[in-house]
Amino acid sequence: MSKRFNRRSRSAVIPVAAASALVAGAALTGCGQQRDSSVYTVLNSSTDETYHRWDAQAMARCGKQLGVTVEQQSVPAAQVMTKALRMASSKSLPHIVQFDASEMPTFAEAGGLIDLRTLGLGTEDIPQGIVNFGSYKGTYYGAARSVNTLALFYNKDVLDQAGLQVPATWAELRQTAKELTRGKRYGLALSAGGAEDGVFQFTPFMWSNGGDETRLDGPKVVEALDYWKSLLKDGSLSKSTVGWTQADVNDQFMAGNAAMMINGPWQVETLNTRKSLHWGIARIPVPKAGEKSVGPLGGAVLTVPNTGDERRERMAGKIVACLSSEREQLTYARNSWMVPANEKAAAAWRKQVPELDALADQVAAARSRTAELGAGWSGVSLALQSAFQAALTGQSSQAALQRAQQRATSGN
């Protein structure tokens, strides 16, 4: 995660029952400690200096507009959920929490969040997929400022020198990666590590192939994992891929150790520091020509915790509305290279960063990881992480995914 999603992808896996018990102590009881009535706090994971600064500037603009002071309390991404739960149990919840969207359902399931529509936030200019991204069981709890997904990044010079086109299908990707693997350079780099990074990167292969997280041992999911194994067997992937994060993948690509990589826009700022690296971006290849490339929506959503203080909840809603407004979304997206959630802002963004147009197309077809299972996604994620480690180090995909399905349904 050391860029935006890479810092966010390691979700804290906390049982819903435990979350419910902690949140119950905070809901409808108000805040346990007195705070300046004109100061509003946002808990987020903007520990990176640049993101912290951008968020501070946005909060200052919105605070000035609304006549309040908005401050951020930033902790590492993996600590946001646990921090929020501890604060709930001590009745000291912040007024706004920015959750990774994959974690938000756990807090919502526990009854800890306010329906943003009741606070005046509308969704008319937001694509339905992104509305779903911030919703749980049909209730809109989280407003996204920007979203991201994965794409295929490629080294233009390496492909040109080899006389190869950018691959669009699995067969083309496998052949191209094989031809580009030379010496210390692998044809492709991706993250198959035992964390949410690897699961995030597997979903485009699983979903584009027709697989589904409700049946991890289904034939389409097995085929997708077998495809990863074929790349490893070809020597097109490094054996170290089972331990790489998305940040590691980007490091390999920038160092010239990979001709292509699966990654996201949070890496663009770093990529652009290497002036000699001429990179391009394309949709992730699909099993067969003409099929839709379906990737995962990533990013965070702004939520308003249920504290029972309706006056402050209403103001928190106004702050969320300001931070997720069309103007603020466009500013934030230009800084972070993410895609604005608002359709009008996204259209303006496409014109300003045409080199990332393929990413906007990929976002249009992307889906939320928690859309099918809600708070149950965390168990599936853990099961898949174990399956990758087993299958890519020798076990059959079928056996690894059968065990994953058992783990996901039994919790063991």
Side-chain angles (χ1 to χ4, degrees), residues 322-344:
C322 178
L323 290 173
S324 59
S325 65
E326 182 180 339
R327 178 179 176 181
E328 288 297 339
Q329 282 194 24
L330 188 55
T331 299
Y332 187 76
R334 283 202 308 265
N335 283 335
S336 65
W337 300 96
M338 305 298 180
V339 182
N342 179 285
E343 289 180 321
K344 294 177 181 177

mmCIF file with all atom_site columns, all heavy atoms in Angstrom, residues 322-344:
data_model
loop_
_atom_site.group_PDB
_atom_site.id
_atom_site.type_symbol
_atom_site.label_atom_id
_atom_site.label_alt_id
_atom_site.label_comp_id
_atom_site.label_asym_id
_atom_site.label_entity_id
_atom_site.label_seq_id
_atom_site.pdbx_PDB_ins_code
_atom_site.Cartn_x
_atom_site.Cartn_y
_atom_site.Cartn_z
_atom_site.occupancy
_atom_site.B_iso_or_equiv
_atom_site.pdbx_formal_charge
_atom_site.auth_seq_id
_atom_site.auth_comp_id
_atom_site.auth_asym_id
_atom_site.auth_atom_id
_atom_site.pdbx_PDB_model_num
ATOM 1   N N   . CYS A 1 322 ? -19.320 18.054 1.580   1.00 0.00 ? 322 CYS A N   1
ATOM 2   C CA  . CYS A 1 322 ? -18.344 18.987 1.023   1.00 0.00 ? 322 CYS A CA  1
ATOM 3   C C   . CYS A 1 322 ? -17.111 18.253 0.517   1.00 0.00 ? 322 CYS A C   1
ATOM 4   O O   . CYS A 1 322 ? -16.648 18.478 -0.600  1.00 0.00 ? 322 CYS A O   1
ATOM 5   C CB  . CYS A 1 322 ? -17.953 20.026 2.074   1.00 0.00 ? 322 CYS A CB  1
ATOM 6   S SG  . CYS A 1 322 ? -16.705 21.209 1.504   1.00 0.00 ? 322 CYS A SG  1
ATOM 7   N N   . LEU A 1 323 ? -16.580 17.350 1.343   1.00 0.00 ? 323 LEU A N   1
ATOM 8   C CA  . LEU A 1 323 ? -15.368 16.621 0.953   1.00 0.00 ? 323 LEU A CA  1
ATOM 9   C C   . LEU A 1 323 ? -15.594 15.750 -0.279  1.00 0.00 ? 323 LEU A C   1
ATOM 10  O O   . LEU A 1 323 ? -14.665 15.485 -1.047  1.00 0.00 ? 323 LEU A O   1
ATOM 11  C CB  . LEU A 1 323 ? -14.887 15.745 2.113   1.00 0.00 ? 323 LEU A CB  1
ATOM 12  C CG  . LEU A 1 323 ? -14.302 16.480 3.322   1.00 0.00 ? 323 LEU A CG  1
ATOM 13  C CD1 . LEU A 1 323 ? -14.039 15.496 4.465   1.00 0.00 ? 323 LEU A CD1 1
ATOM 14  C CD2 . LEU A 1 323 ? -13.013 17.209 2.952   1.00 0.00 ? 323 LEU A CD2 1
ATOM 15  N N   . SER A 1 324 ? -16.828 15.293 -0.481  1.00 0.00 ? 324 SER A N   1
ATOM 16  C CA  . SER A 1 324 ? -17.140 14.441 -1.629  1.00 0.00 ? 324 SER A CA  1
ATOM 17  C C   . SER A 1 324 ? -17.857 15.192 -2.743  1.00 0.00 ? 324 SER A C   1
ATOM 18  O O   . SER A 1 324 ? -18.425 14.585 -3.643  1.00 0.00 ? 324 SER A O   1
ATOM 19  C CB  . SER A 1 324 ? -17.995 13.242 -1.184  1.00 0.00 ? 324 SER A CB  1
ATOM 20  O OG  . SER A 1 324 ? -19.209 13.667 -0.595  1.00 0.00 ? 324 SER A OG  1
ATOM 21  N N   . SER A 1 325 ? -17.808 16.517 -2.687  1.00 0.00 ? 325 SER A N   1
ATOM 22  C CA  . SER A 1 325 ? -18.439 17.328 -3.730  1.00 0.00 ? 325 SER A CA  1
ATOM 23  C C   . SER A 1 325 ? -17.662 17.197 -5.036  1.00 0.00 ? 325 SER A C   1
ATOM 24  O O   . SER A 1 325 ? -16.502 16.775 -5.056  1.00 0.00 ? 325 SER A O   1
ATOM 25  C CB  . SER A 1 325 ? -18.481 18.798 -3.301  1.00 0.00 ? 325 SER A CB  1
ATOM 26  O OG  . SER A 1 325 ? -17.156 19.319 -3.192  1.00 0.00 ? 325 SER A OG  1
ATOM 27  N N   . GLU A 1 326 ? -18.297 17.584 -6.135  1.00 0.00 ? 326 GLU A N   1
ATOM 28  C CA  . GLU A 1 326 ? -17.670 17.467 -7.455  1.00 0.00 ? 326 GLU A CA  1
ATOM 29  C C   . GLU A 1 326 ? -16.326 18.196 -7.494  1.00 0.00 ? 326 GLU A C   1
ATOM 30  O O   . GLU A 1 326 ? -15.324 17.662 -7.993  1.00 0.00 ? 326 GLU A O   1
ATOM 31  C CB  . GLU A 1 326 ? -18.617 18.036 -8.507  1.00 0.00 ? 326 GLU A CB  1
ATOM 32  C CG  . GLU A 1 326 ? -18.109 17.940 -9.921  1.00 0.00 ? 326 GLU A CG  1
ATOM 33  C CD  . GLU A 1 326 ? -19.097 18.534 -10.930 1.00 0.00 ? 326 GLU A CD  1
ATOM 34  O OE1 . GLU A 1 326 ? -20.284 18.638 -10.608 1.00 0.00 ? 326 GLU A OE1 1
ATOM 35  O OE2 . GLU A 1 326 ? -18.643 18.910 -12.034 1.00 0.00 ? 326 GLU A OE2 1
ATOM 36  N N   . ARG A 1 327 ? -16.279 19.404 -6.959  1.00 0.00 ? 327 ARG A N   1
ATOM 37  C CA  . ARG A 1 327 ? -15.050 20.194 -6.986  1.00 0.00 ? 327 ARG A CA  1
ATOM 38  C C   . ARG A 1 327 ? -13.942 19.537 -6.178  1.00 0.00 ? 327 ARG A C   1
ATOM 39  O O   . ARG A 1 327 ? -12.796 19.415 -6.652  1.00 0.00 ? 327 ARG A O   1
ATOM 40  C CB  . ARG A 1 327 ? -15.340 21.590 -6.439  1.00 0.00 ? 327 ARG A CB  1
ATOM 41  C CG  . ARG A 1 327 ? -14.104 22.492 -6.383  1.00 0.00 ? 327 ARG A CG  1
ATOM 42  C CD  . ARG A 1 327 ? -14.463 23.868 -5.848  1.00 0.00 ? 327 ARG A CD  1
ATOM 43  N NE  . ARG A 1 327 ? -13.278 24.717 -5.707  1.00 0.00 ? 327 ARG A NE  1
ATOM 44  C CZ  . ARG A 1 327 ? -13.314 25.954 -5.235  1.00 0.00 ? 327 ARG A CZ  1
ATOM 45  N NH1 . ARG A 1 327 ? -14.472 26.499 -4.875  1.00 0.00 ? 327 ARG A NH1 1
ATOM 46  N NH2 . ARG A 1 327 ? -12.202 26.657 -5.135  1.00 0.00 ? 327 ARG A NH2 1
ATOM 47  N N   . GLU A 1 328 ? -14.271 19.098 -4.950  1.00 0.00 ? 328 GLU A N   1
ATOM 48  C CA  . GLU A 1 328 ? -13.250 18.487 -4.106  1.00 0.00 ? 328 GLU A CA  1
ATOM 49  C C   . GLU A 1 328 ? -12.804 17.142 -4.659  1.00 0.00 ? 328 GLU A C   1
ATOM 50  O O   . GLU A 1 328 ? -11.634 16.768 -4.552  1.00 0.00 ? 328 GLU A O   1
ATOM 51  C CB  . GLU A 1 328 ? -13.759 18.338 -2.667  1.00 0.00 ? 328 GLU A CB  1
ATOM 52  C CG  . GLU A 1 328 ? -13.874 19.646 -1.902  1.00 0.00 ? 328 GLU A CG  1
ATOM 53  C CD  . GLU A 1 328 ? -12.529 20.338 -1.703  1.00 0.00 ? 328 GLU A CD  1
ATOM 54  O OE1 . GLU A 1 328 ? -11.476 19.668 -1.784  1.00 0.00 ? 328 GLU A OE1 1
ATOM 55  O OE2 . GLU A 1 328 ? -12.523 21.560 -1.474  1.00 0.00 ? 328 GLU A OE2 1
ATOM 56  N N   . GLN A 1 329 ? -13.728 16.398 -5.256  1.00 0.00 ? 329 GLN A N   1
ATOM 57  C CA  . GLN A 1 329 ? -13.362 15.113 -5.861  1.00 0.00 ? 329 GLN A CA  1
ATOM 58  C C   . GLN A 1 329 ? -12.340 15.300 -6.976  1.00 0.00 ? 329 GLN A C   1
ATOM 59  O O   . GLN A 1 329 ? -11.367 14.546 -7.076  1.00 0.00 ? 329 GLN A O   1
ATOM 60  C CB  . GLN A 1 329 ? -14.597 14.407 -6.423  1.00 0.00 ? 329 GLN A CB  1
ATOM 61  C CG  . GLN A 1 329 ? -15.445 13.719 -5.378  1.00 0.00 ? 329 GLN A CG  1
ATOM 62  C CD  . GLN A 1 329 ? -16.450 12.770 -6.000  1.00 0.00 ? 329 GLN A CD  1
ATOM 63  O OE1 . GLN A 1 329 ? -16.271 12.288 -7.112  1.00 0.00 ? 329 GLN A OE1 1
ATOM 64  N NE2 . GLN A 1 329 ? -17.518 12.487 -5.266  1.00 0.00 ? 329 GLN A NE2 1
ATOM 65  N N   . LEU A 1 330 ? -12.572 16.289 -7.797  1.00 0.00 ? 330 LEU A N   1
ATOM 66  C CA  . LEU A 1 330 ? -11.667 16.520 -8.924  1.00 0.00 ? 330 LEU A CA  1
ATOM 67  C C   . LEU A 1 330 ? -10.282 16.926 -8.429  1.00 0.00 ? 330 LEU A C   1
ATOM 68  O O   . LEU A 1 330 ? -9.255  16.446 -8.932  1.00 0.00 ? 330 LEU A O   1
ATOM 69  C CB  . LEU A 1 330 ? -12.246 17.586 -9.854  1.00 0.00 ? 330 LEU A CB  1
ATOM 70  C CG  . LEU A 1 330 ? -11.505 17.813 -11.176 1.00 0.00 ? 330 LEU A CG  1
ATOM 71  C CD1 . LEU A 1 330 ? -11.375 16.511 -11.955 1.00 0.00 ? 330 LEU A CD1 1
ATOM 72  C CD2 . LEU A 1 330 ? -12.233 18.865 -12.015 1.00 0.00 ? 330 LEU A CD2 1
ATOM 73  N N   . THR A 1 331 ? -10.238 17.786 -7.427  1.00 0.00 ? 331 THR A N   1
ATOM 74  C CA  . THR A 1 331 ? -8.952  18.194 -6.845  1.00 0.00 ? 331 THR A CA  1
ATOM 75  C C   . THR A 1 331 ? -8.232  16.999 -6.248  1.00 0.00 ? 331 THR A C   1
ATOM 76  O O   . THR A 1 331 ? -7.032  16.791 -6.478  1.00 0.00 ? 331 THR A O   1
ATOM 77  C CB  . THR A 1 331 ? -9.178  19.265 -5.760  1.00 0.00 ? 331 THR A CB  1
ATOM 78  O OG1 . THR A 1 331 ? -9.804  20.413 -6.345  1.00 0.00 ? 331 THR A OG1 1
ATOM 79  C CG2 . THR A 1 331 ? -7.861  19.682 -5.121  1.00 0.00 ? 331 THR A CG2 1
ATOM 80  N N   . TYR A 1 332 ? -8.956  16.196 -5.493  1.00 0.00 ? 332 TYR A N   1
ATOM 81  C CA  . TYR A 1 332 ? -8.356  15.033 -4.842  1.00 0.00 ? 332 TYR A CA  1
ATOM 82  C C   . TYR A 1 332 ? -7.871  14.020 -5.879  1.00 0.00 ? 332 TYR A C   1
ATOM 83  O O   . TYR A 1 332 ? -6.780  13.450 -5.751  1.00 0.00 ? 332 TYR A O   1
ATOM 84  C CB  . TYR A 1 332 ? -9.390  14.388 -3.921  1.00 0.00 ? 332 TYR A CB  1
ATOM 85  C CG  . TYR A 1 332 ? -8.840  13.281 -3.058  1.00 0.00 ? 332 TYR A CG  1
ATOM 86  C CD1 . TYR A 1 332 ? -8.067  13.571 -1.943  1.00 0.00 ? 332 TYR A CD1 1
ATOM 87  C CD2 . TYR A 1 332 ? -9.110  11.952 -3.351  1.00 0.00 ? 332 TYR A CD2 1
ATOM 88  C CE1 . TYR A 1 332 ? -7.555  12.561 -1.146  1.00 0.00 ? 332 TYR A CE1 1
ATOM 89  C CE2 . TYR A 1 332 ? -8.607  10.935 -2.561  1.00 0.00 ? 332 TYR A CE2 1
ATOM 90  C CZ  . TYR A 1 332 ? -7.835  11.241 -1.454  1.00 0.00 ? 332 TYR A CZ  1
ATOM 91  O OH  . TYR A 1 332 ? -7.324  10.230 -0.677  1.00 0.00 ? 332 TYR A OH  1
ATOM 92  N N   . ALA A 1 333 ? -8.672  13.802 -6.912  1.00 0.00 ? 333 ALA A N   1
ATOM 93  C CA  . ALA A 1 333 ? -8.311  12.826 -7.940  1.00 0.00 ? 333 ALA A CA  1
ATOM 94  C C   . ALA A 1 333 ? -7.082  13.271 -8.727  1.00 0.00 ? 333 ALA A C   1
ATOM 95  O O   . ALA A 1 333 ? -6.246  12.447 -9.103  1.00 0.00 ? 333 ALA A O   1
ATOM 96  C CB  . ALA A 1 333 ? -9.493  12.595 -8.883  1.00 0.00 ? 333 ALA A CB  1
ATOM 97  N N   . ARG A 1 334 ? -6.972  14.560 -9.002  1.00 0.00 ? 334 ARG A N   1
ATOM 98  C CA  . ARG A 1 334 ? -5.788  15.058 -9.723  1.00 0.00 ? 334 ARG A CA  1
ATOM 99  C C   . ARG A 1 334 ? -4.524  14.859 -8.886  1.00 0.00 ? 334 ARG A C   1
ATOM 100 O O   . ARG A 1 334 ? -3.464  14.554 -9.410  1.00 0.00 ? 334 ARG A O   1
ATOM 101 C CB  . ARG A 1 334 ? -5.962  16.536 -10.072 1.00 0.00 ? 334 ARG A CB  1
ATOM 102 C CG  . ARG A 1 334 ? -6.880  16.816 -11.249 1.00 0.00 ? 334 ARG A CG  1
ATOM 103 C CD  . ARG A 1 334 ? -6.579  18.181 -11.854 1.00 0.00 ? 334 ARG A CD  1
ATOM 104 N NE  . ARG A 1 334 ? -6.583  19.238 -10.860 1.00 0.00 ? 334 ARG A NE  1
ATOM 105 C CZ  . ARG A 1 334 ? -7.634  20.009 -10.578 1.00 0.00 ? 334 ARG A CZ  1
ATOM 106 N NH1 . ARG A 1 334 ? -8.758  19.843 -11.242 1.00 0.00 ? 334 ARG A NH1 1
ATOM 107 N NH2 . ARG A 1 334 ? -7.554  20.953 -9.663  1.00 0.00 ? 334 ARG A NH2 1
ATOM 108 N N   . ASN A 1 335 ? -4.654  15.028 -7.584  1.00 0.00 ? 335 ASN A N   1
ATOM 109 C CA  . ASN A 1 335 ? -3.503  14.824 -6.700  1.00 0.00 ? 335 ASN A CA  1
ATOM 110 C C   . ASN A 1 335 ? -3.117  13.351 -6.606  1.00 0.00 ? 335 ASN A C   1
ATOM 111 O O   . ASN A 1 335 ? -1.938  12.999 -6.643  1.00 0.00 ? 335 ASN A O   1
ATOM 112 C CB  . ASN A 1 335 ? -3.829  15.341 -5.290  1.00 0.00 ? 335 ASN A CB  1
ATOM 113 C CG  . ASN A 1 335 ? -3.762  16.850 -5.182  1.00 0.00 ? 335 ASN A CG  1
ATOM 114 O OD1 . ASN A 1 335 ? -3.075  17.507 -5.950  1.00 0.00 ? 335 ASN A OD1 1
ATOM 115 N ND2 . ASN A 1 335 ? -4.493  17.416 -4.234  1.00 0.00 ? 335 ASN A ND2 1
ATOM 116 N N   . SER A 1 336 ? -4.120  12.492 -6.467  1.00 0.00 ? 336 SER A N   1
ATOM 117 C CA  . SER A 1 336 ? -3.870  11.095 -6.133  1.00 0.00 ? 336 SER A CA  1
ATOM 118 C C   . SER A 1 336 ? -3.868  10.156 -7.331  1.00 0.00 ? 336 SER A C   1
ATOM 119 O O   . SER A 1 336 ? -3.534  8.983  -7.185  1.00 0.00 ? 336 SER A O   1
ATOM 120 C CB  . SER A 1 336 ? -4.954  10.621 -5.153  1.00 0.00 ? 336 SER A CB  1
ATOM 121 O OG  . SER A 1 336 ? -6.236  10.641 -5.776  1.00 0.00 ? 336 SER A OG  1
ATOM 122 N N   . TRP A 1 337 ? -4.258  10.640 -8.508  1.00 0.00 ? 337 TRP A N   1
ATOM 123 C CA  . TRP A 1 337 ? -4.356  9.832  -9.720  1.00 0.00 ? 337 TRP A CA  1
ATOM 124 C C   . TRP A 1 337 ? -5.494  8.808  -9.655  1.00 0.00 ? 337 TRP A C   1
ATOM 125 O O   . TRP A 1 337 ? -5.552  7.892  -10.459 1.00 0.00 ? 337 TRP A O   1
ATOM 126 C CB  . TRP A 1 337 ? -3.027  9.126  -10.039 1.00 0.00 ? 337 TRP A CB  1
ATOM 127 C CG  . TRP A 1 337 ? -1.902  10.074 -10.251 1.00 0.00 ? 337 TRP A CG  1
ATOM 128 C CD1 . TRP A 1 337 ? -0.989  10.462 -9.320  1.00 0.00 ? 337 TRP A CD1 1
ATOM 129 C CD2 . TRP A 1 337 ? -1.559  10.780 -11.447 1.00 0.00 ? 337 TRP A CD2 1
ATOM 130 N NE1 . TRP A 1 337 ? -0.102  11.361 -9.852  1.00 0.00 ? 337 TRP A NE1 1
ATOM 131 C CE2 . TRP A 1 337 ? -0.427  11.570 -11.174 1.00 0.00 ? 337 TRP A CE2 1
ATOM 132 C CE3 . TRP A 1 337 ? -2.100  10.810 -12.735 1.00 0.00 ? 337 TRP A CE3 1
ATOM 133 C CZ2 . TRP A 1 337 ? 0.171   12.396 -12.122 1.00 0.00 ? 337 TRP A CZ2 1
ATOM 134 C CZ3 . TRP A 1 337 ? -1.500  11.626 -13.683 1.00 0.00 ? 337 TRP A CZ3 1
ATOM 135 C CH2 . TRP A 1 337 ? -0.377  12.411 -13.371 1.00 0.00 ? 337 TRP A CH2 1
ATOM 136 N N   . MET A 1 338 ? -6.400  8.989  -8.703  1.00 0.00 ? 338 MET A N   1
ATOM 137 C CA  . MET A 1 338 ? -7.575  8.126  -8.642  1.00 0.00 ? 338 MET A CA  1
ATOM 138 C C   . MET A 1 338 ? -8.645  8.665  -9.597  1.00 0.00 ? 338 MET A C   1
ATOM 139 O O   . MET A 1 338 ? -8.504  9.752  -10.165 1.00 0.00 ? 338 MET A O   1
ATOM 140 C CB  . MET A 1 338 ? -8.132  8.072  -7.220  1.00 0.00 ? 338 MET A CB  1
ATOM 141 C CG  . MET A 1 338 ? -7.124  7.659  -6.163  1.00 0.00 ? 338 MET A CG  1
ATOM 142 S SD  . MET A 1 338 ? -6.462  6.005  -6.416  1.00 0.00 ? 338 MET A SD  1
ATOM 143 C CE  . MET A 1 338 ? -5.359  5.877  -5.017  1.00 0.00 ? 338 MET A CE  1
ATOM 144 N N   . VAL A 1 339 ? -9.731  7.919  -9.730  1.00 0.00 ? 339 VAL A N   1
ATOM 145 C CA  . VAL A 1 339 ? -10.825 8.333  -10.601 1.00 0.00 ? 339 VAL A CA  1
ATOM 146 C C   . VAL A 1 339 ? -11.948 8.906  -9.730  1.00 0.00 ? 339 VAL A C   1
ATOM 147 O O   . VAL A 1 339 ? -12.391 8.245  -8.789  1.00 0.00 ? 339 VAL A O   1
ATOM 148 C CB  . VAL A 1 339 ? -11.370 7.142  -11.420 1.00 0.00 ? 339 VAL A CB  1
ATOM 149 C CG1 . VAL A 1 339 ? -12.486 7.598  -12.350 1.00 0.00 ? 339 VAL A CG1 1
ATOM 150 C CG2 . VAL A 1 339 ? -10.250 6.479  -12.215 1.00 0.00 ? 339 VAL A CG2 1
ATOM 151 N N   . PRO A 1 340 ? -12.432 10.124 -10.021 1.00 0.00 ? 340 PRO A N   1
ATOM 152 C CA  . PRO A 1 340 ? -13.514 10.691 -9.218  1.00 0.00 ? 340 PRO A CA  1
ATOM 153 C C   . PRO A 1 340 ? -14.749 9.797  -9.231  1.00 0.00 ? 340 PRO A C   1
ATOM 154 O O   . PRO A 1 340 ? -15.074 9.175  -10.251 1.00 0.00 ? 340 PRO A O   1
ATOM 155 C CB  . PRO A 1 340 ? -13.805 12.035 -9.899  1.00 0.00 ? 340 PRO A CB  1
ATOM 156 C CG  . PRO A 1 340 ? -12.544 12.377 -10.621 1.00 0.00 ? 340 PRO A CG  1
ATOM 157 C CD  . PRO A 1 340 ? -11.987 11.061 -11.070 1.00 0.00 ? 340 PRO A CD  1
ATOM 158 N N   . ALA A 1 341 ? -15.447 9.740  -8.097  1.00 0.00 ? 341 ALA A N   1
ATOM 159 C CA  . ALA A 1 341 ? -16.661 8.932  -8.013  1.00 0.00 ? 341 ALA A CA  1
ATOM 160 C C   . ALA A 1 341 ? -17.824 9.607  -8.734  1.00 0.00 ? 341 ALA A C   1
ATOM 161 O O   . ALA A 1 341 ? -18.683 8.942  -9.316  1.00 0.00 ? 341 ALA A O   1
ATOM 162 C CB  . ALA A 1 341 ? -17.025 8.683  -6.552  1.00 0.00 ? 341 ALA A CB  1
ATOM 163 N N   . ASN A 1 342 ? -17.848 10.929 -8.707  1.00 0.00 ? 342 ASN A N   1
ATOM 164 C CA  . ASN A 1 342 ? -18.903 11.697 -9.351  1.00 0.00 ? 342 ASN A CA  1
ATOM 165 C C   . ASN A 1 342 ? -18.726 11.660 -10.873 1.00 0.00 ? 342 ASN A C   1
ATOM 166 O O   . ASN A 1 342 ? -17.628 11.871 -11.394 1.00 0.00 ? 342 ASN A O   1
ATOM 167 C CB  . ASN A 1 342 ? -18.838 13.149 -8.834  1.00 0.00 ? 342 ASN A CB  1
ATOM 168 C CG  . ASN A 1 342 ? -19.887 14.050 -9.452  1.00 0.00 ? 342 ASN A CG  1
ATOM 169 O OD1 . ASN A 1 342 ? -19.765 14.439 -10.603 1.00 0.00 ? 342 ASN A OD1 1
ATOM 170 N ND2 . ASN A 1 342 ? -20.906 14.394 -8.679  1.00 0.00 ? 342 ASN A ND2 1
ATOM 171 N N   . GLU A 1 343 ? -19.802 11.378 -11.608 1.00 0.00 ? 343 GLU A N   1
ATOM 172 C CA  . GLU A 1 343 ? -19.719 11.218 -13.059 1.00 0.00 ? 343 GLU A CA  1
ATOM 173 C C   . GLU A 1 343 ? -19.235 12.484 -13.758 1.00 0.00 ? 343 GLU A C   1
ATOM 174 O O   . GLU A 1 343 ? -18.432 12.421 -14.701 1.00 0.00 ? 343 GLU A O   1
ATOM 175 C CB  . GLU A 1 343 ? -21.075 10.804 -13.615 1.00 0.00 ? 343 GLU A CB  1
ATOM 176 C CG  . GLU A 1 343 ? -21.476 9.385  -13.251 1.00 0.00 ? 343 GLU A CG  1
ATOM 177 C CD  . GLU A 1 343 ? -22.825 8.994  -13.805 1.00 0.00 ? 343 GLU A CD  1
ATOM 178 O OE1 . GLU A 1 343 ? -23.732 9.846  -13.800 1.00 0.00 ? 343 GLU A OE1 1
ATOM 179 O OE2 . GLU A 1 343 ? -22.987 7.841  -14.230 1.00 0.00 ? 343 GLU A OE2 1
ATOM 180 N N   . LYS A 1 344 ? -19.716 13.652 -13.320 1.00 0.00 ? 344 LYS A N   1
ATOM 181 C CA  . LYS A 1 344 ? -19.307 14.902 -13.958 1.00 0.00 ? 344 LYS A CA  1
ATOM 182 C C   . LYS A 1 344 ? -17.832 15.185 -13.687 1.00 0.00 ? 344 LYS A C   1
ATOM 183 O O   . LYS A 1 344 ? -17.102 15.615 -14.583 1.00 0.00 ? 344 LYS A O   1
ATOM 184 C CB  . LYS A 1 344 ? -20.182 16.052 -13.453 1.00 0.00 ? 344 LYS A CB  1
ATOM 185 C CG  . LYS A 1 344 ? -21.649 15.943 -13.859 1.00 0.00 ? 344 LYS A CG  1
ATOM 186 C CD  . LYS A 1 344 ? -22.473 17.078 -13.276 1.00 0.00 ? 344 LYS A CD  1
ATOM 187 C CE  . LYS A 1 344 ? -23.942 16.946 -13.655 1.00 0.00 ? 344 LYS A CE  1
ATOM 188 N NZ  . LYS A 1 344 ? -24.762 18.014 -13.019 1.00 0.00 ? 344 LYS A NZ  1
#
